[in-house]
Amino acid sequence: MTEPSTLAKDIKWNEQGLIPAIAQDWQTGEVLMLAWMSRDALQLTISEGRAIYWSRSRQALWRKGEESGHVQRLKELRIDCDADTVLMKVEQIGGIACHTGRRGCFYRQLKDGVWHVTDDIIKQPDDIYGKKS
C-alpha cells in the first residue's frame, strides 16, 4: 500500500514497525484505549475515517468494531512531540470501547496500593461477541 511520504518521514516507528495509538473521546477528552498501529493501519485509518489497529496477538489488521459494532469514527489525528505516539480523537459508536464491555479500558485505579474497579460494565462481553466455547 502506498502511503503519503510524510507518514514514513515524520513518524518514528518502533522496531516492529508499530506505533502506539491512543483513542480519546473527541468531545469529552476521556482516554478510551491504547492499541498499536502499523503503517497500513494508520493509512487505512486516514483513508476510511475510522480506527484501524494492528493486533499483535493475531498479527493482523483489526478494524475497531468489526465484531462488536463499536466503531471509532476518526475526528482528528495528531502525533506527539517525539513523533512516536498517535492520538486519535474519535466518536465512539455505541459508547463502549473496551472488550470487557466498559466505556474505556482504563477502569482500574490504584488506591492505597490496591487496584479498584471504577467503571461498571455497560454490556456483558458474551452479549457483544457471543459465547465462545
Side-chain angles (χ1 to χ4, degrees), residues 34-99:
L34 178 132
W36 293 88
M37 287 185 155
S38 63
R39 285 175 170 83
D40 286 346
L42 182 58
Q43 182 56 43
L44 286 167
T45 294
I46 293 165
S47 65
E48 293 184 20
R50 64 177 286 185
I52 300 171
Y53 300 105
W54 177 256
S55 170
R56 295 178 300 165
S57 61
R58 292 179 292 204
Q59 293 291 294
L61 289 172
W62 156 46
R63 284 173 167 75
K64 179 67 175 157
E66 64 191 347
E67 290 182 43
S68 66
H70 300 140
V71 173
Q72 292 175 339
R73 287 196 186 123
L74 184 65
K75 296 293 188 175
E76 186 177 317
L77 185 68
R78 297 178 179 222
I79 56 173
D80 74 338
C81 58
D82 295 323
D84 62 1
T85 303
V86 170
L87 173 66
M88 293 182 302
K89 295 189 178 196
V90 300
E91 176 186 4
Q92 181 63 60
I93 306 304
I96 297 173
C98 185
H99 74 280

Side-chain angles (χ1 to χ4, degrees), residues 2-11 43:
T2 306
E3 66 181 17
S5 60
T6 57
L7 287 181
K9 182 180 68 141
D10 294 340
I11 291 181
Q43 182 56 43

Side-chain angles (χ1 to χ4, degrees), residues 31 41 101 104:
V31 174

